[in-house]
Amino acid sequence: MADTIQLEIVTPERLVVQDTVAEVQIPGKNGYLGILPGHAPLITELSVGEISYGVNGFTHYLAVAWGFAEVLPTKVTILAETAERSEEIDVERARRAKEKAEQMLHSSDPNTDFDRALEALKHAEVRLDVAAKRGVVAGA
Amino acid sequence: MAGILDIRRRIRSVRNTRQITRAMKMISAARLRRAQERALSARPYAQMLTNVLKSLVMRAEVYDPETGEPRHPLLAQREEKTILLIVVTGDKGLAGAFNANILKAAMRFIQAKEGKNIDIEAVGRKARDFFRRRFPVAPVEQPEITEAAEEPLTPAPRAENRSGAVQIVGEHVGILGRLEFAQGKALGQSIIERYTRCEIDAVYVLYNEFKSVVSQRVVVDEILPTAQIGASAVLQAEEMAEQEKLRMAEAAQSAGVSISEADTKAIDERAAAFAAAPVDYIYEQPPQELFRSMLPRYVELRVFHTLLESVAAEHAARMTAMDAATNNASEMIDALTLAMNRVRQAKITKEIIEIVSGAAAL
């Protein structure tokens, strides 16, 4: 059996990642999934969260908002609405987005869309988390 | 007859104009290339999403097996009483007949649908200016304000206080220059909301479809209700005239833009394999749930795509127009140079005659 997985991450704007990896972790809607080569075929929706994958002992991180993934024994394809590598994340912007979402959650305006604000908050937090993991070596 | 100096001055002025139009042409060509690339890199996602939805339609029983009624509000077919028409033009002019063609098609569409209520969503400054001069703006601004208070799925009472049978409900100016998926998504979301609240019964997009430089047409595409996933429901289409196609190709060639459709076979094949492997997938979520969350994304994506294509088409049109303008300027310079030489020749001849006749008189 093959001991690597072909990983592809696609967004509406571009192909973000195309790589051969040893393992992938994806934020499934019902919880995180760790995928190793030889996984059973699976289709899942993704929630807001981080994707991490290991290549040659390095772990790479990405922040994703909604998407879904197809898992095959030797291939993982992820369609994400947004996917940003940790080094691409604009920390300043993420922080501002977080503040804005928090403000919306605490406002007394009856028209606030709480679901959307919560999702925005979560997305901003994930982006900050992922940005903080920039260049971390796995196991270190 | 104008003097040599006057003609020389005009030549200089035309030459300056030519310089500007040539620069504009090159800029448009560069932007067109970028827009084409973007449209291309958006393809895999679209293709994959379509695939998954197609395979889900079979498993998720989106149609009630007994009555054949669709279970998803975005699939619901209703009698067309109120139509939302999204018209996509450019923000800027100087693009030949690009904007005019779209607006003409829009007026034809509105006439064809006479007797029904039409809401217009104008994308691009040209569309906004055009419709503002003809139709009233909807009385209730910003439908989002009332959104949270209402139950999303119960049909809201239709707004009876329309400004007219045809009214403008939304304007989007300045989003085309730096187009991002978020913008397509926002527009998509707003139409989905209105559709599920039964405020509108159908959504059409009128835009300039762009497959390649020589394959373009102004189309009306039905976005909602989603009749069949993966197929576009084109209602009204106008192909480019053969002559125009030739000019487009000429302009593209001189600007170094490829005129053929980019080779997407490899991408398409890979994308086509997505979620179509002959295996039994484990579905982490029930197919129905997956379907429900995916269909709106599909609609949003289609809106985004129309915007992408329209941007590419606009740049192509501007490039062609500027190429034509540059050629015209060159012709004009030639004609003026000829006229100038003729005047100079006439002047010299006249002088010689004067000298000769003066000598003869001695």
Side-chain angles (χ1 to χ4, degrees), chain B residues 107 129-136 166 168:
Chain B
M107 288 314 282
D129 294 351
F130 178 85
F131 288 119
R132 270 226 184 136
R133 258 178 273 129
R134 280 166 183 78
F135 302 115
V166 181
I168 305 168

Side-chain angles (χ1 to χ4, degrees), chain B residues 25 42 67 81 98 110 121 135 159 226 239-240 251 288 295 326 343:
Chain B
K25 172 184 144 194
T67 59
K81 282 189 198 130
F98 175 78
I110 290 168
E121 189 98 36
F135 302 115
T226 314
E239 293 278 350
M240 249 190 328
Q288 189 129 29
L295 196 56
T326 310
V343 172

Side-chain angles (χ1 to χ4, degrees), chain A residues 8 10-15 18 29-30 33 40-45 66 68 70-72 77 79-81 110-111 113 116, chain B residues 38 41-42 45 48-49 52 145 147-148 180-181 185 193 270 274-275 277 279 281-285 290 293-294 297 301 304:
Chain A
E8 258 181 43
V10 189
T11 70
E13 283 172 5
R14 68 210 163 99
L15 183 68
Q18 186 170 29
K29 202 174 187 189
N30 311 341
L33 298 159
L42 174 135
I43 288 183
T44 181
E45 198 179 335
W66 186 91
F68 52 100
E70 179 204 30
V71 177
L72 287 175
T77 314
L79 299 197
E81 201 137 89
N111 293 325
D113 187 340
R116 210 174 278 179
Chain B
R38 292 198 64 187
S41 53
Y45 187 90
M48 289 177 187
L49 190 63
V52 182
I145 294 169
E147 169 217 339
E180 277 172 27
F181 180 63
K185 187 178 159 158
E193 262 165 31
R270 261 216 326 278
F274 184 81
V279 289
Y281 289 101
I282 303 168
Y283 286 93
E284 272 274 294
Q285 287 83 31
L290 273 178
S293 71
M294 243 141 69
R297 317 276 164 165
L301 189 72
F304 177 59

Side-chain angles (χ1 to χ4, degrees), chain A residues 46-66:
Chain A
L46 304 182
S47 64
V48 176
E50 66 176 58
I51 295 178
S52 56
Y53 62 94
V55 192
N56 303 331
F58 277 99
T59 310
H60 299 258
Y61 296 92
L62 291 108
V64 288
W66 186 91

